[in-house]
Amino acid sequence: MPTAPIPPIPAHQLLLFLLQVGGLLLLAFVLGRLARRVGLPPLVGELCAGVLVGPSVLLHVAPAVSEWLLPRDPGQQYMLDAVGQFGVLLLIALTGVHMDFGLVRRRGGDALRISVAGIAVPLAAGVGLGLALPGSLVPDTADRPTFALFMGVAMGVSAIPVIARTLMDMKLLHRNVGQLILCAVMVDDIVGWMLLSVVAAMATTGVGAGDVVLPIVWLTVVLLGAGLARRPVAALLRAAQRSPGNGTLVTVVVLMTLLAAAATHAMGLEAVFGAFVAGIVISRSDALDRERIAPLQTMVAAVLAPVFFATAGLRMDLTALADPVVLLTGLGVLAVAVVGKFAGAYLGARLSRLNHWEGLALGAGMNARGVIEVIIAMVGLRLGVLGPEMYTIIVLVAIATSLMAPPILRTAMSRIEHTAEERLRAQAFGVDDGSGSRAV
């Protein structure tokens, strides 16, 4: 007997989905333009778009509208999340495509020192903070060591999507400091996700050897596979570029990104890690004509990334900060997060013989926690490691550090000499190098 086909999306759910995506994109576009006018990257406005439509504002101003437009239906929310996840995977892959591995090879020691110091110092500060916070903020479902280690992980991570978008918007991706920031943050986040798996094990069944060893094994497999895939990827890209138009090449790049993301996700690693590795392999193949993926870059930057950042803002509820105790504790946690990350990155920069302004720029870039911090906070809430108050505080850190990065980066980078090597890299990437010239 033939199986009955699965019915299509109900009309009302489809209507809500279209209104959600269209409304968020419109608001993200308007607020992004407004942010640019006042000297901030569009990312700031796009995050605020979600905050305004989410439980922080709209739910309190117009609850009936909020409940109709954004019902508490997981299936409805998953459709919106899927669009955002698709966008962030492509954004991360394009970031990997723009990595300059000549610089990484020449300054790999610098990137390693910066990344180690950039996570070790805030990790230690976060663990100390977790041990010192009042017991009333530690939920009954978590013991103090697990809570403290979780706080260390939360203080140590950065947010590759936020940093990548900020560097792109500020036209800093081709700068040496921008490349070092991405290298260091990638290492920090790999360590952070591995530590988070340990915390999850501590919060549930206890720590076993497999919880620590297995992610390292999979990470090694991914890195070895990336090295072996360089030549086949180059051959595939050359074949795609022989086709007329840009469609075939764009399709191949998107397919590589999605399959790599699926592979690392299946391994228990983050999907964004697979997307980043895909971009790196494509870049290292030296076979890509970057000008021919310009349509994909435009689509991601103008549509998919804004929707992703707006959906991230939807999950933020800042009304809990009206409680003075939560607010004061949040300010203290924010201070520890900022000082720890800046101190670690600055220390790593100075050990690498970078100057004061380069160290400050690295600290500003690596300090942005953004969406990754929000995701970690949601994991902590689900595991019972965080209570509602500490969840709100972690979200505060995510928002505040993301807003701090652009102005500090702009100030520091204005005092760092723009080298001839960076101008050549700007031409290779097809971006404005700050002098008004652009590769054609």
Side-chain angles (χ1 to χ4, degrees):
M1 184 175 181
T3 304
I6 298 175
I9 301 174
H12 182 66
Q13 286 189 351
L14 179 59
L15 173 64
L16 288 181
F17 172 71
L18 296 175
L19 289 174
Q20 288 168 353
V21 174
L24 285 175
L25 179 58
L26 174 61
L27 192 57
F29 173 79
V30 172
L31 294 182
R33 287 295 183 92
L34 181 61
R36 190 189 295 275
R37 281 182 173 271
V38 298
L40 294 173
L43 163 70
V44 175
E46 291 159 5
L47 283 170
C48 290
V51 172
L52 290 176
V53 177
S56 299
V57 178
L58 184 62
L59 183 61
H60 298 275
V61 174
V65 175
S66 176
E67 290 172 4
W68 182 84
L69 182 62
L70 297 166
R72 292 184 173 275
D73 178 7
Q76 189 78 51
Q77 185 65 48
Y78 292 159
M79 289 194 295
L80 190 58
D81 286 347
V83 176
Q85 287 299 315
F86 182 62
V88 77
L89 291 176
L90 293 178
L91 174 63
I92 294 301
L94 291 174
T95 302
V97 168
H98 284 84
M99 291 294 293
D100 181 356
F101 280 88
L103 175 70
V104 174
R105 284 190 294 269
R106 292 192 303 274
R107 306 187 69 175
D110 294 346
L112 182 60
R113 282 187 290 270
I114 293 165
S115 63
V116 169
I119 194 170
V121 174
L123 177 67
V127 170
L129 180 67
L131 294 173
L133 285 174
S136 60
L137 294 176
V138 182
D140 297 334
T141 51
D143 56 58
R144 177 69 75 164
T146 303
F147 175 78
L149 182 56
F150 183 90
M151 289 299 298
V153 173
M155 297 297 100
V157 298
S158 301
I160 289 178
V162 172
I163 294 168
R165 181 63 187 274
T166 300
L167 292 173
M168 285 182 179
D169 288 337
M170 298 181 70
K171 297 181 175 63
L172 297 176
L173 199 56
H174 69 286
R175 301 292 301 270
N176 290 344
V177 170
Q179 298 280 308
L180 284 174
I181 288 172
L182 289 176
C183 291
V185 167
M186 194 68 219
V187 175
D188 281 4
D189 282 359
I190 290 171
V191 174
W193 288 116
M194 292 174 63
L195 288 176
L196 185 63
S197 68
V198 175
V199 175
M202 292 174 65
T204 52
T205 59
V207 180
D211 298 313
V212 181
V213 174
L214 189 57
I216 297 176
V217 171
W218 283 126
L219 177 61
T220 304
V221 170
V222 171
L223 296 178
L224 290 175
L228 295 174
R230 181 177 176 180
R231 289 186 177 179
V233 166
L236 186 58
L237 291 174
R238 291 191 185 98
Q241 288 170 161
R242 286 194 290 269
S243 300
N246 301 324
T248 302
L249 179 61
V250 168
T251 300
V252 168
V253 170
V254 173
L255 278 173
M256 289 181 182
T257 300
L258 295 180
L259 292 176
T264 54
H265 184 70
M267 295 173 186
L269 303 173
E270 283 302 300
V272 290
F273 177 52
F276 189 75
V277 171
I280 289 173
V281 173
I282 292 171
S283 177
R284 292 195 67 197
S285 69
D286 297 325
L288 178 68
D289 182 354
R290 289 184 172 87
E291 291 184 11
R292 295 187 64 179
I293 61 169
L296 176 62
Q297 293 174 320
T298 300
M299 182 66 179
V300 172
V303 178
L304 295 177
V307 170
F308 167 72
F309 288 113
T311 57
L314 285 176
R315 298 189 182 277
M316 302 176 182
D317 186 356
L318 306 182
T319 58
L321 297 176
D323 185 339
V325 175
V326 175
L327 178 59
L328 290 175
T329 303
L331 293 175
V333 173
L334 176 62
V336 171
V338 172
V339 172
K341 201 67 173 181
F342 264 91
Y346 189 85
L347 174 63
R350 299 300 280 174
L351 290 174
S352 300
R353 299 181 180 178
L354 301 180
N355 65 36
H356 166 74
W357 292 110
E358 288 172 321
L360 189 61
L362 282 161
M366 296 179 68
N367 184 49
R369 270 55 170 225
V371 177
I372 302 300
E373 187 93 310
V374 175
I375 294 172
I376 286 179
M378 289 192 293
V379 171
L381 194 64
R382 175 177 58 81
L383 293 173
V385 178
L386 295 182
E389 297 85 1
M390 285 306 302
Y391 171 81
T392 301
I393 289 171
I394 298 297
V395 171
L396 168 67
V397 172
I399 297 172
T401 54
S402 298
L403 293 176
M404 289 170 59
I408 300 176
L409 265 174
R410 185 176 294 108
T411 300
M413 293 303 296
S414 68
R415 291 166 170 79
I416 300 173
E417 181 182 358
H418 205 150
T419 66
E421 177 190 32
E422 291 172 337
R423 294 186 188 280
L424 290 174
R425 192 183 298 128
Q427 291 179 345
F429 290 174
V431 299
D432 190 338
D433 68 355
S435 64
S437 63
R438 185 181 178 89
V440 292

